[in-house]
């Protein structure tokens, strides 16, 4: 440990450094001579041999040995140090040799490590490739197994379908149906697979078999429920909607609804993609509607017959109560239908229309044969339009859509019949009205005490306004405007006729006041109606035809002419009738007639007031000078 610090801790003089060099030189000489240890003798040994010196040679030898002994004694410490250094040097050489061997071993280990690393990396890459191949094979095997399932499922599904223990309500039936659909879809999506067409046909057969079982179960369940309801109610006699016995027709079906609806949802969800499901769905709908129709139609007919007899004289009440009864039945049928099925169908609308049409068989003959008064027809139209349509059909939407079609047909028939009866009413009660003496007793009638002011109106005016008020509530705009124009025109004509009669019985002034009064009443009473009272009248003008015919007769010599002046051609081109349009405005006609009546009244009143003055002027003319007469005339003109 101290050797490395030797040079730094020990300072040598120049003489000491020379001695060290000499020692090193002598040490090198001794190593080269390699004297045996027997030749080195100590000083004491030389002194012992001094007793035997006999000649100079021995002396020199003795001296030389003494010298060497002295040197040996002086250099022993250095020799020991040299020997120690040699030992350390040997050890260092041994360490160096060990290090060299260790390095050689390390180099060998490094080479072996690199070899092993390369081998390991190659093995790792090979393993990764093998693992990737294994994963690919596993995925391929899984994919093949997954797709092979669609081929192997046929046997299992076929065995279940052919089993006598299969149940449509079993837990395995719906999953099996789903699996069949998946297999059919798979075969359709992969037509290039081997035997896919064969298996597609097999799965379609399985699907037909499964759907047959499903349809049979649903149809039989509906029929059995209907039969059970009929059996229990066979002794109930006549059923009336609202009775507890009638409610059993719905409760029996409602108890079966959830089970069948769960199966029908499976069919309805697939009906748009698969025609087989669509056909089964339609068959189930048809069976249900047929059974419900067979149950409910007799009840509806009995109820309508009962209501018809009960309200034989009150047609409005019959229509209102029968419509309300059908509305309740339609609502119940719509609700019951959705206990079985999730989707509305045209078959349901057909069922509801079939149930509702029973009322039409009573309604149509009634309004044609029994209802002749337009007032009653107007009330019927009002019931259908306001009470039925606005309050129920429009408010409840889909469930009354079918009944709405019937109600609309009834309303249209009623309005058509009302239009016809209104025209007949106008003809009989307004145009052909024959006034009595009391109707024309003006102005004495104005002094009579009557129960109400309407009794003072001329009958045609009262009838016209009543007719308009009833038509306004129950007809559409175009029909009302057409009938209103006809009614008001007839009313004004009747007033003019009555005016002529009053002139004969009373005076011209009274007749004119009569006409003005009633025209003012008409204008006041029609003002609240939110219509235009205008009608576009289209007619054919045959004036050109008449002129062309006279021209043809005049130009007989050009009938056979072979040029453009042929008389026959001119007749066809020039004689075609012209289509003319005319706008009839009832309000405007009332105003025009009122203005004319007022003008006539003013003229008549002015004539009556100025007639004494004109008589006075005539008398004055005969007895006064012209200048005085002119002054009188100026005074009269200023006063008038």
């Amino acid at each position: 440990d101290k050797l490395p610090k030797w040079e730094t801790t020990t300072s040598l003089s120049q003489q000491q450094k020379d001695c060290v060099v000499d020692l090193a030189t002598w040490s090198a000489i001794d190593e080269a001579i390699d004297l045996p240890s027997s030749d080195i003798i100590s000083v004491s040994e030389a002194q012992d041999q001094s007793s035997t010196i006999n000649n100079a040679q021995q002396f020199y030898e003795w001296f030389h040995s003494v010298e060497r002994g002295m040197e040996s004694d002086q250099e022993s410490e250095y020799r020991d140090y040299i020997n120690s250094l040699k030992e350390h040097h040997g050890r260092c050489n041994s360490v160096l040799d060990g290090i060299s061997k260790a390095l050689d071993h390390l180099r060998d280990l490094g080479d072996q490590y690199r070899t092993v690393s390369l081998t390991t990396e190659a093995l790792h890459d090979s393993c990764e490739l093998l693992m990737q191949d294994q994963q690919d094979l596993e995925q391929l095997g899984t994919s093949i197994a997954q797709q092979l399932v669609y081929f192997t499922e046929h046997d299992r599904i076929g065995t279940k379908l052919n089993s006598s223990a299969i149940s449509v309500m079993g837990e395995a039936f719906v999953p099996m149906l789903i699996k069949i659909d998946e297999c059919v879809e798979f075969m359709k999506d992969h037509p290039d697979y081997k035997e896919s067409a064969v298996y597609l046909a097999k799965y379609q057969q399985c699907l037909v078999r499964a759907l047959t079982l499903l349809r049979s179960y649903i149809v039989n369940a509906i029929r059995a429920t209907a039969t059970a309801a009929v059996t229990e109610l066979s002794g109930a006699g006549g059923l009336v909607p609202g009775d507890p016995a009638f409610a059993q027709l719905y409760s029996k079906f409602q108890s079966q609804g959830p089970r069948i609806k769960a199966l029908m949802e499976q069919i309805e969800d697939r009906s748009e993609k698969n025609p087989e499901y669509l056909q089964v769905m339609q068959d189930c709908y048809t069976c249900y509607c047929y059974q419900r129709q067979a149950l409910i139609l007799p009840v509806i007919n009995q109820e309508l017959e009962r209501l018809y007899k009960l309200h034989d004289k009150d047609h409005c009440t019959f229509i209102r109560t029968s419509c309300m009864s059908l509305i309740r039945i339609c609502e119940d049928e719509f609700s019951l239908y959705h206990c079985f099925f999730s989707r509305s169908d045209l078959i349901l609308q057909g069922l509801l229309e079939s149930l509702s049409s029973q009322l039409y068989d009573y309604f149509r003959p009634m309004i044609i044969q029994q209802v002749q008064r337009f007032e009653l027809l107007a009330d019927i139209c009002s019931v259908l339009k306001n009470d039925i349509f606005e309050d129920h059909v429009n408010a409840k939407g889909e469930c009354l859509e079918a009944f709405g079609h019937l109600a609309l047909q009834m309303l249209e028939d009623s309005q058509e019949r009302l239009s016809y009866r209104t025209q007949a009413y106008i003809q009989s009660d307004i145009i052909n009205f024959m006034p009595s003496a009391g109707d024309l007793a003006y102005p004495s009638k104005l002094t009579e005490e009557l129960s109400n002011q309407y009794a003072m109106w001329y009958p045609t005016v009262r009838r016209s306004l009543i007719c308009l008020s009833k038509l306004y509530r129950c007809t559409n705009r175009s029909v009302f405007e057409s009938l209103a124009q006809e009614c008001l025109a007839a009313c004004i004509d009747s007033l003019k006729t009555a005016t002529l009669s009053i002139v004969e019985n009373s005076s011209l002034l009274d007749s004119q006041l009569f006409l003005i009064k009633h025209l003012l009443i008409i204008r006041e009473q029609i003002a609240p109606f939110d219509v235009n009272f205008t009608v576009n009248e289209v007619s054919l003008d045959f004036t050109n035809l008449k002129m062309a015919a006279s021209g043809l007769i005049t130009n007989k010599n050009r009938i056979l002419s072979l040029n453009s002046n042929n008389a026959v051609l001119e007749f066809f081109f020039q004689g075609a009738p012209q289509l003319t349009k005319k706008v009839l405005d009832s309000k405007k006609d009332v105003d025009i007639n009122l203005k004319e009546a007022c003008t006539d009244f003013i003229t008549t009143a002015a004539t009556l007031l100025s007639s004494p003055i004109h008589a006075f002027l005539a008398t004055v003319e005969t007895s006064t000078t012209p200048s005085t007469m002119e002054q009188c005339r100026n005074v009269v003109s200023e006063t008038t």
Side-chain angles (χ1 to χ4, degrees), residues 163-174 217:
S163 175
S164 59
I166 187 171
S167 174
V168 173
M169 296 304 299
E171 295 181 356
F173 186 82
V174 173
Y217 175 81

Side-chain angles (χ1 to χ4, degrees), residues 288-326:
Y288 172 84
C289 293
Y290 176 79
Q291 296 298 327
R292 291 303 303 175
Q293 183 177 357
L295 286 173
I296 302 299
L297 270 182
V299 179
I300 293 178
N301 289 329
Q302 293 177 9
E303 176 67 6
L304 292 177
E305 183 68 24
R306 183 185 70 84
L307 293 175
Y308 185 76
K309 292 179 180 179
L310 181 63
H311 306 289
D312 186 21
K313 302 301 181 181
D314 191 351
H315 300 93
C316 290
T317 304
F318 167 72
I319 292 174
R320 184 183 291 106
T321 54
S322 58
C323 285
M324 293 304 301
S325 180
L326 284 176

Side-chain angles (χ1 to χ4, degrees), residues 336-394:
L336 181 63
Y337 174 88
H338 284 88
C339 290
F340 284 80
F341 312 109
S342 300
R343 297 183 181 179
S344 297
D345 190 77
L346 294 178
I347 297 178
L348 170 63
Q349 299 300 323
L351 168 64
L352 298 180
E353 287 181 1
S354 175
L355 299 179
S356 303
S357 64
Q358 304 305 309
L359 175 60
Y360 192 77
D361 296 337
Y362 288 86
F363 175 81
R364 182 68 178 175
M366 182 182 69
I367 63 171
I368 293 177
Q369 300 174 6
Q370 300 180 17
V371 182
Q372 301 298 327
R373 295 174 54 245
F374 95 94
E375 296 92 340
L376 183 55
L377 283 170
D379 293 338
I380 292 174
C381 292
S382 178
V383 168
L384 291 172
K385 182 179 180 181
N386 300 322
D387 298 349
I388 304 303
F389 256 98
E390 295 181 1
D391 295 345
H392 293 89
V393 175
N394 294 337

Side-chain angles (χ1 to χ4, degrees), residues 546-559 567-568 571:
K546 181 179 179 181
M547 296 175 61
S550 66
L552 179 63
I553 296 173
T554 304
N555 301 318
K556 292 180 179 180
N557 58 342
R558 290 193 289 114
I559 291 177
V568 177
F571 171 78

